[in-house]
Amino acid sequence: MDKIRIRGGKALKGIISISGAKNAALPLMAASLLTEGKLTLSNIPYLADVVTMANLMVQHGVTLHMDEKPASHSSNGRTLTLNARNINNFTAPYNLVRTMRASVLVLGPLLARFGQAKVSLPGGCAIGTRPIDLHLKALEQMGALIELSDGYIHAYVKGRLRGAEITFDTVTVTGTENILMAAVLAEGETTLRNAAREPEVSDLAHCLVKMGADIQGIGSDTLVVRGIEQLKGTEHRVIADRIEAGSYAAAAAITGGDIELRGIDVHILGTVAEKFSEAGVDITPTAEGVRVNRRNGLLGVDVMTQPFPGFPTDMQAQMMALMTVAKGASMITETIFENRFMHVPELSRMGARINVHSASAMIRGVKSLTGAEVMATDLRASVSLVIAALAAKNITVINRVYHLDRGYERLEEKLSACGADIERIHA
Ligand code: UD1
């Protein structure tokens, strides 16, 4: 297994191009199942999760073409063309769903277009139990018959799904996306209340509208969908990855650097930019993106994760890394997932002072961190260790790099172009 080796202490300076958003690309790829037409997606990040989703599409019968590797540092990503004219397999198997929970996003589209789908239950994951009961309940309200057996969801509907009034008990991102994709081909009107407002949900909705769907309320917590019989192919550019941008912003901030993140709009960073500002880090718009620079020392701030437009849970670990060397104390509360503090013991091994009390972590800033051999069990926890390592004394070796490869495209290349001393050690 590959490792990443970082010698900390270099202030990041330079330009980083932000890739297309993983969490927008995955549902958009699943949306190709809704039409016989060709869906062309540009600005696709080349990530392990995108490859897993591509494999899933292919085994359903989608023909797929990805262009060659774009020039290094290009902000255009790859272009992926998907055609789901000849779907011959309605099963999303355990071996793919197990490696990537977002595979469950095929459920809504397959059921809506073909009246059947068989999808492996995802099971638990490192950050919590993460059930999909709300996806299933909503599909049942739309007339689907759902059975759970042999570890699989078996879903059927005679004819088309029916429009329904759906109120999600909890804000769920992939739940909203799954039901939105089901509703666009359902008979009649569907109203989704307490819908997720994440920019990636809106990106999917905008693409569906280009495919011919009728969706009102995009960007709000109430989506009203008038179902139609058929959608057509289209072309769509994936939005920039706000979590990748936030992660590099944290890396620049912790090293006292000054970088420009290209291809990202400051508005999409929302609460993250506000919290950085409270912590003494300015994120300001430039002609092509945003500039991140630290005013003086870092200050401790309190953060609570919330659905969008609140502070994203996917930035919680990175914010915690930043707070380990801030002046004073900060309290970070995780409200979305029940077990998302796996980075805490690893950051502690690097000298951080953190106490966890149920869903909150109290961080008391230290003068400096020191390098150690560390590992993490999920994507964002892993990147928080990279961030900490960039500011730590001596050398840090991060194991289980495959987590980073799921969500960060060319991480070492992007960071070393800004002066970081970072290298991948191939196993
Ligand atoms: C998505 C993101 C993930 C992010 C998360 C929260 C993708 C591919 N992944 O994950 O990066 O961390 O949103 O912003 O976009 N829940 C239920 N029942 C359900 C569905 C969810 O109880 O049927 C709960 C979950 O356990 C969790 C909360 O709702 O506590 C939010 O989860 P959800 O928004 O569904 O996360 P994902 O869509 O899986």
Side-chain angles (χ1 to χ4, degrees), residues 52-73:
T52 305
M53 190 56 116
N55 289 336
L56 181 59
M57 292 299 124
V58 167
Q59 68 86 47
H60 286 308
V62 173
T63 51
L64 183 147
H65 177 263
M66 192 183 282
D67 68 358
E68 289 303 305
K69 188 171 186 258
S72 204
H73 306 304

Side-chain angles (χ1 to χ4, degrees), residues 85-385:
R85 184 183 298 277
N86 301 311
I87 295 304
N88 48 29
N89 173 14
F90 306 101
T91 303
Y94 178 63
N95 64 335
L96 289 177
V97 182
R98 178 174 63 89
T99 57
M100 188 185 67
R101 298 178 50 84
S103 311
V104 77
L105 284 163
V106 301
L107 182 58
L110 285 176
L111 192 57
R113 182 159 156 227
F114 302 102
Q116 57 172 308
K118 180 179 165 192
V119 176
S120 170
L121 278 161
C125 78
I127 61 176
T129 50
R130 295 181 83 175
I132 54 159
D133 55 314
L134 302 176
H135 304 224
L136 303 185
K137 189 173 147 203
L139 289 172
E140 279 179 334
Q141 279 179 268
M142 297 176 78
L145 193 71
I146 309 256
E147 283 167 21
L148 302 182
S149 64
D150 326 318
Y152 277 81
I153 304 153
H154 301 258
Y156 309 93
V157 65
K158 249 206 183 130
R160 288 166 69 191
L161 289 166
R162 291 190 310 269
E165 295 270 331
I166 291 159
T167 303
F168 291 106
D169 294 340
T170 306
V171 178
T172 159
V173 174
T174 50
T176 302
E177 292 165 345
N178 230 340
I179 305 311
L180 184 61
M181 289 191 279
V184 290
L185 287 183
E187 202 173 341
E189 190 172 284
T190 301
T191 304
L192 303 182
R193 295 208 169 78
N194 201 24
R197 286 183 282 167
E198 269 65 4
E200 295 76 22
V201 176
S202 300
D203 198 34
L204 170 67
H206 288 304
C207 179
L208 293 171
V209 168
K210 285 193 234 169
M211 292 166 78
D214 180 349
I215 306 170
Q216 304 297 320
I218 298 174
S220 79
D221 64 357
T222 305
L223 298 170
V224 180
V225 185
R226 277 188 209 93
I228 56 171
E229 273 183 41
Q230 261 188 3
L231 294 178
K232 57 181 191 289
T234 192
E235 290 180 6
H236 184 78
R237 183 181 162 85
V238 177
I239 56 166
D241 196 318
R242 63 197 167 97
I243 306 299
E244 187 199 21
S247 305
Y248 289 129
I254 202 168
T255 61
D258 187 347
I259 61 171
E260 185 179 10
L261 302 173
R262 291 248 170 106
I264 187 94
D265 187 314
V266 74
H267 296 112
I268 206 179
L269 292 172
T271 329
V272 172
E274 283 166 30
K275 281 292 164 190
F276 272 59
S277 172
E278 272 182 51
V281 181
D282 286 327
I283 302 187
T284 45
T286 61
E288 292 187 62
V290 297
R291 177 183 172 205
V292 184
N293 74 305
R294 194 167 101 186
R295 291 195 293 272
N296 289 303
L298 287 167
L299 304 172
V301 291
D302 293 345
V303 171
M304 184 184 280
T305 63
Q306 298 273 291
F308 193 84
F311 192 92
T313 174
D314 285 352
M315 272 298 296
Q316 181 256 105
Q318 300 89 312
M319 192 69 188
M320 192 179 300
L322 196 57
M323 292 296 98
T324 60
V325 290
K327 190 170 169 212
S330 57
M331 173 87 92
I332 296 190
T333 305
E334 172 59 55
T335 73
I336 310 288
F337 294 112
E338 69 267 31
N339 185 27
R340 208 171 194 182
F341 284 142
M342 289 91 56
H343 40 288
V344 169
E346 301 301 307
L347 290 170
S348 301
R349 299 191 63 239
M350 298 176 71
R353 288 179 64 203
I354 309 172
N355 287 313
V356 175
H357 304 279
S358 59
S360 293
M362 165 73 85
I363 303 111
R364 290 186 178 82
V366 293
K367 270 224 164 70
S368 62
L369 300 171
T370 44
E373 185 145 356
V374 290
M375 64 169 196
T377 42
D378 86 276
L379 170 59
R380 309 302 170 185
S382 299
V383 86
S384 79
L385 301 178

Side-chain angles (χ1 to χ4, degrees), residues 4 7 22 38 118 210 257 290 322 425-426:
I4 282 187
R7 182 186 288 274
K22 167 177 86 74
K38 211 160 69 173
K118 180 179 165 192
K210 285 193 234 169
V290 297
L322 196 57
I425 306 164
H426 295 285

